[in-house]
Amino acid sequence: GDNDMVQLYLSLRYVFNDPIHGTVELHPLLIKIIDTPQFQRLRNIKQLGGAYFVYPGASHNRFEHSIGVGHLAGQLVEALRTRQPELDINDRDVLCVKIAGLCHDLGHGPFSHLYDQMFIPKHEEASVEMFDHLVEFTNLNIIIIITDYNAINMLSSPQWPYCGRPKDKSFLFEIVANKTNGIDVDKFDYFARDCYHLGMQNNFDHLRFIQFARVIKVKKDELNHICLYGSNSAVFHSVCLVDHVFEQILNSPSVELAEAKKILERIISRDHYRFLGETKPRQVLTRVYFSLPLLDPIKNVYFYSKRNPNTAFNIPRDQVSKLLPACFSEQLIRVYSKKKKTDEQSLEAARRHLIKWCKAKGFLLYPLAPSHKTKELAS
């Protein structure tokens, strides 16, 4: 019968090797999702976009990142279920969290985060719509049978109440996209994956976080939150690098994209614009951190101690690492000359206009590779 078919289907497991997480075992439903055109398109979206032109190793895509997030989401929810059986995490919860992790980036379009601002409010909302499209137009009705459909949409969590789970399972919505403090498995994967491909050291141990994570009800809002062990605190920051798909523009016959194609062709051939200088506007406290309208995200990170493992608390600001800056991202304004061939006299005239504009705004000018004349002008 149907139940026998479902049990046979669930008994299957798919294993592959990931350069970041090693041996990764995926549920067959995740494989069904991965095999759809909606998910396969993520193979063509670079995780770090234009950074690939600077770092040759940064060739990884949203495809493998999404698989990694699905894997880590499963690791964290399984760890919580094992350590805290009182949370009543069931198989359906685990599966829904894994699917949410796998599908969290389905909505990324060309130019990715830049595409977010220009055409849609957020890629998270587009991910939900893409998932709806995926289920509706592909043969994935088995998902509806085994899991409750609304709960899968954990990947987008605007505010409580959520339609997918009762209030006592609010912590499930902090695993993939944590709207409380920004600490989630999405960042765990791209911290590790991006550093690996960029040839940089990753100082954050997500396995230790998973090992010590604990769910505690917080008095502030009477909700169950994922808390960190007091001596295991970590400082997070992210650099948002624009993703894009050059091929779609370069191969397009559209007349409207002709100018864009010229720009991309210059970038690919390294025929870069002539740099004139850069200026740094007055820096202010960052009001947006991990898409949160918060001045200090650490205020919303909860901890617990060995002595009181069931009590959540915040740490005072003076105990936070000095590595956590007041400004999480700096603003730079860089000016380039668009012309391919420009004589030095024209360049100096353009630099003078830039210096004049900076002085009028009260900005300091920092030429990246200034000539002696520009040094004199800037001084």
Side-chain angles (χ1 to χ4, degrees):
D2 290 342
N3 288 336
D4 293 335
M5 181 195 70
V6 170
Q7 290 302 319
L8 176 62
Y9 186 64
L10 292 179
S11 66
L12 301 174
R13 285 295 183 269
Y14 297 82
V15 179
F16 69 96
N17 189 59
D18 179 73
I20 308 303
H21 306 301
T23 302
V24 172
E25 183 178 287
L26 291 182
H27 190 282
L29 290 183
L30 272 63
I31 298 298
K32 293 286 287 185
I33 294 173
I34 291 172
D35 288 341
T36 63
Q38 290 81 6
F39 193 91
Q40 288 293 315
R41 59 182 286 277
L42 297 178
R43 290 181 183 272
N44 298 317
I45 301 179
K46 287 286 185 289
Q47 181 75 13
L48 296 182
Y52 182 39
F53 287 89
V54 181
Y55 297 91
S59 59
H60 55 304
N61 304 308
R62 292 271 164 191
F63 179 84
E64 50 266 39
H65 163 65
S66 297
I67 292 175
V69 175
H71 168 68
L72 289 181
Q75 279 198 323
L76 179 52
V77 71
E78 289 279 18
L80 293 174
R81 174 160 71 166
T82 300
R83 286 196 299 271
Q84 296 181 263
E86 70 275 11
L87 297 176
D88 193 28
I89 299 174
N90 54 46
D91 291 341
R92 183 168 295 191
D93 294 331
V94 173
L95 181 56
C96 287
V97 169
K98 288 181 179 179
I99 295 175
L102 183 72
C103 298
H104 78 289
D105 270 353
L106 273 180
H108 274 294
F111 297 95
S112 200
H113 289 292
L114 181 62
Y115 185 88
D116 283 5
Q117 300 174 20
M118 295 294 293
F119 300 101
I120 58 175
K122 290 184 179 180
H123 75 270
E124 291 89 350
E125 297 175 9
S127 294
V128 176
E129 295 179 4
M130 182 66 79
F131 186 82
D132 291 342
H133 172 72
L134 182 153
V135 173
E136 182 178 356
F137 291 97
T138 58
N139 187 23
L140 286 177
N141 291 332
I142 188 71
I143 290 181
I144 309 301
I145 298 173
I146 300 177
T147 65
D148 43 318
Y149 176 72
N150 287 331
I152 294 174
N153 287 336
M154 290 178 184
L155 52 93
S156 181
S157 49
Q159 60 183 7
W160 196 269
Y162 305 112
C163 57
R165 285 295 181 271
K167 202 171 183 178
D168 61 341
K169 290 190 175 181
S170 58
F171 62 91
L172 292 176
F173 296 87
E174 297 180 342
I175 294 176
V176 176
N178 193 334
K179 305 301 181 181
T180 302
N181 54 46
I183 301 176
D184 49 50
V185 297
D186 176 26
K187 295 176 182 63
F188 295 176
D189 183 85
Y190 73 63
F191 280 175
R193 196 172 300 276
D194 293 354
C195 287
Y196 174 84
H197 287 282
L198 292 172
M200 298 179 179
Q201 184 177 0
N202 176 25
N203 294 321
F204 176 68
D205 185 358
H206 62 267
L207 294 178
R208 182 173 174 82
F209 177 96
I210 292 174
Q211 181 181 2
F212 287 96
R214 183 173 179 82
V215 173
I216 304 173
K217 178 173 285 189
V218 176
K219 291 183 179 180
K220 180 180 178 181
D221 55 13
E222 292 299 319
L223 293 177
N224 289 327
H225 291 281
I226 298 176
C227 302
L228 289 69
Y229 182 49
S231 63
N232 191 42
S233 59
V235 174
F236 293 83
H237 82 284
S238 66
V239 178
C240 180
L241 295 174
V242 177
D243 300 339
H244 64 97
V245 183
F246 275 3
E247 292 82 359
Q248 295 181 357
I249 296 179
L250 289 173
N251 297 327
S252 174
S254 173
V255 177
E256 288 81 3
L257 293 177
E259 186 65 23
K261 289 175 68 173
K262 290 180 181 179
I263 295 174
L264 295 183
E265 287 169 354
R266 289 189 61 174
I267 293 175
I268 292 173
S269 63
R270 299 189 66 81
D271 180 17
H272 299 155
Y273 297 154
R274 294 291 299 274
F275 179 77
L276 297 179
E278 70 181 27
T279 180
K280 183 185 294 184
R282 295 185 184 88
Q283 304 301 302
V284 297
L285 288 177
T286 303
R287 298 190 64 86
V288 178
Y289 184 70
F290 297 130
S291 301
L292 300 174
L294 306 171
L295 284 176
D296 189 350
I298 297 300
K299 292 180 179 179
N300 292 281
V301 177
Y302 298 103
F303 298 85
Y304 70 92
S305 64
K306 183 182 296 185
R307 180 174 297 179
N308 297 302
N310 296 317
T311 302
F313 63 89
N314 299 112
I315 60 174
R317 190 64 179 82
D318 58 3
Q319 291 185 18
V320 178
S321 170
K322 295 299 182 182
L323 293 175
L324 185 64
C327 296
F328 298 103
S329 62
E330 293 184 333
Q331 293 180 333
L332 290 175
I333 299 176
R334 288 183 173 177
V335 181
Y336 296 83
S337 172
K338 186 177 180 181
K339 296 181 180 180
K340 285 190 175 183
K341 294 182 180 180
T342 307
D343 60 87
E344 286 300 321
Q345 186 176 359
S346 298
L347 285 176
E348 290 300 333
R351 290 189 182 107
R352 289 180 184 275
H353 284 293
L354 173 60
I355 294 169
K356 183 178 180 181
W357 181 83
C358 289
K359 287 183 177 180
K361 295 289 185 180
F363 299 157
L364 293 177
L365 182 63
Y366 303 96
L368 187 61
S371 66
H372 293 294
K373 290 184 180 180
T374 309
K375 285 182 180 179
E376 296 173 359
L377 291 171
S379 62

